[in-house]
């Protein structure tokens, strides 16, 4: 089973890019972030015509997450526990083929420091509480999406440029390390141990052409899923397409559970 995550940076404006990628790569499950569309503007017909079921949580102008699947989708929740006042569409849990998929779009947090960074850290705290509970359940779970976290210096083209950035602050790197410490496997880093791999390239200063990238999009596997990991990769070429997102799709393949 091929499972992917893709920050589309506006699903309607980049629908042709998304549909082309779905046709060419044919993932079984896709988690999308940054839909930038209200609930009623989700392009369901086009997604269905491409062969996918969908559940989504839209939001006008910003945010928004969705899960596409060739299989039946059972929605569990579209809220990250811990803050009933949080109105951002950033989280969704679904069950597909007995696999719990947690699709997330973690806050950016810039400017750092400031209220947006404080919201990011509070959101991470909520995520870590939920992820710890999921680990304890000993069920097959995947945490997947745009984490807006650069985990280590290996994951950014020029670490010194991002010391004062919310994506790479000491606090978020420490939090990511603690998250992994709960028992999650960082699948892409596991597969590309010492290699320089990125998932995001800014639109400015020819970042893509210079390969001045960041690794922000992650697929974390619970201990019951980790042994099923076969392969994975980043569809870097998609970032070079016309009118594309500044992120590239990230994917893994899991072997069938015996």
């Amino acid at each position: 089973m091929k499972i992917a995550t893709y920050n589309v940076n506006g699903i309607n404006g980049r629908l042709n890019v998304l549909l082309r990628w779905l046709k060419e790569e044919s993932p079984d499950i896709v988690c999308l972030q940054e839909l930038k569309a209200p609930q009623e503007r989700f392009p369901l017909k086009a997604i269905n015509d491409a062969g996918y079921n969908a559940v989504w949580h839209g939001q006008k102008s910003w945010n928004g997450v969705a899960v596409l699947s060739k299989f039946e989708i059972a929605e569990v929740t579209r809220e990250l526990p811990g803050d009933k006042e949080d109105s951002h569409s950033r989280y969704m849990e679904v069950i597909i083929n007995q696999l719990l998929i947690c699709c997330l779009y973690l806050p950016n947090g810039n400017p750092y420091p400031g209220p947006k960074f404080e919201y990011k850290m509070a959101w991470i705290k909520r995520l870590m509480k939920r992820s710890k509970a999921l680990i304890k359940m000993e069920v097959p779970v995947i945490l997947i999406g745009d984490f807006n976290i650069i985990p280590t210096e290996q994951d950014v083209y020029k670490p010194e440029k991002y010391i004062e950035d919310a994506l790479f602050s000491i606090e978020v790197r420490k939090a990511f390390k603690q998250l992994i410490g709960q028992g999650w496997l960082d699948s892409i880093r596991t597969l590309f141990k010492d290699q320089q791999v990125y998932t995001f390239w800014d639109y400015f200063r020819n970042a893509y052409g210079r390969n001045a990238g960041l690794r922000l999009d992650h697929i974390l596997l619970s201990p019951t899923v980790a042994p099923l990991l076969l392969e994975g990769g980043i569809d870097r070429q998609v970032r070079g397409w016309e009118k594309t997102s500044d992120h590239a799709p990230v994917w893994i393949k899991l072997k069938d559970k015996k």
Side-chain angles (χ1 to χ4, degrees):
M1 185 161 57
K2 185 175 183 179
I3 303 169
T5 180
Y6 187 20
N7 179 321
V8 290
N9 192 14
I11 191 167
N12 289 303
R14 311 198 195 277
L15 184 58
N16 288 339
V17 171
L18 174 61
L19 294 176
R20 176 184 170 187
W21 171 69
L22 290 174
K23 183 177 181 180
E24 290 186 7
E25 301 299 332
S26 193
D28 297 297
I29 300 170
V30 184
C31 293
L32 301 177
Q33 304 85 40
E34 212 170 342
L35 302 180
K36 293 183 176 177
Q39 191 73 4
E40 66 277 8
R41 289 286 314 281
F42 185 84
L44 181 60
K45 185 180 186 305
I47 297 299
N48 289 163
D49 289 347
Y52 291 86
N53 299 309
V55 294
W56 68 96
H57 188 196
Q59 187 167 2
K60 186 178 181 180
S61 299
W62 307 107
N63 307 322
V65 290
V67 180
L68 317 183
S69 175
K70 294 179 179 179
F71 311 105
E72 184 178 343
I73 308 172
E75 183 177 330
V76 177
T77 183
R78 55 181 57 192
E79 293 181 1
L80 180 63
D83 185 359
K84 292 183 178 180
E85 302 300 316
D86 189 357
S87 61
H88 289 201
S89 303
R90 293 185 175 274
Y91 187 81
M92 176 174 286
E93 290 180 13
V94 302
I95 296 175
I96 303 171
N97 287 356
Q98 298 182 313
L99 183 66
L100 181 61
I101 307 282
C102 305
C103 173
L104 62 95
Y105 176 43
L106 205 145
N108 178 290
N110 280 306
Y112 167 84
K116 290 185 176 181
F117 183 72
E118 291 169 7
Y119 170 66
K120 177 174 188 166
M121 293 306 299
W123 206 97
I124 292 174
K125 187 176 180 180
R126 289 160 57 199
L127 175 65
M128 291 181 67
K129 185 175 180 180
R130 178 58 179 161
S131 63
K132 186 177 181 180
L134 292 173
I135 288 282
K136 285 185 176 181
M137 291 179 192
E138 298 183 350
V139 295
V141 188
I142 298 182
L143 290 183
I144 179 171
D146 178 359
F147 282 65
N148 268 316
I149 295 176
I150 304 168
T152 70
E153 290 189 356
Q154 187 181 11
D155 301 303
V156 52
Y157 75 104
K158 279 190 177 179
E160 64 276 11
K161 284 191 64 175
Y162 287 85
I163 295 299
E164 299 297 321
D165 194 294
L167 304 175
F168 191 58
S169 71
I170 293 173
E171 296 96 324
V172 297
R173 281 186 282 159
K174 181 180 178 182
F176 190 87
K177 187 175 181 180
Q178 290 174 340
L179 178 64
I180 295 296
Q182 293 179 346
W184 301 94
L185 180 77
D186 182 347
S187 59
I188 295 299
R189 182 48 65 204
T190 299
L191 294 166
F192 299 88
K193 291 190 183 346
D194 299 315
Q195 296 182 48
Q196 190 181 64
V197 289
Y198 303 136
T199 68
F200 169 92
W201 297 262
D202 207 320
Y203 288 126
F204 304 105
R205 297 177 295 279
N206 190 33
Y208 178 67
R210 295 186 295 117
N211 198 29
L214 319 172
R215 190 170 75 96
L216 301 176
D217 306 85
H218 309 302
I219 305 176
L220 308 186
L221 310 180
S222 72
T224 52
V225 180
L228 306 179
L229 180 63
L230 286 174
E231 60 179 306
I234 299 158
D235 290 337
R236 188 184 187 280
Q237 75 282 0
V238 179
R239 176 59 181 84
W241 293 353
E242 188 177 354
K243 296 182 179 178
T244 193
S245 171
D246 41 11
H247 293 251
V250 183
W251 59 272
I252 60 168
K253 282 186 180 178
L254 301 177
K255 61 184 175 183
D256 292 334
K257 193 173 183 181
K258 302 298 183 183

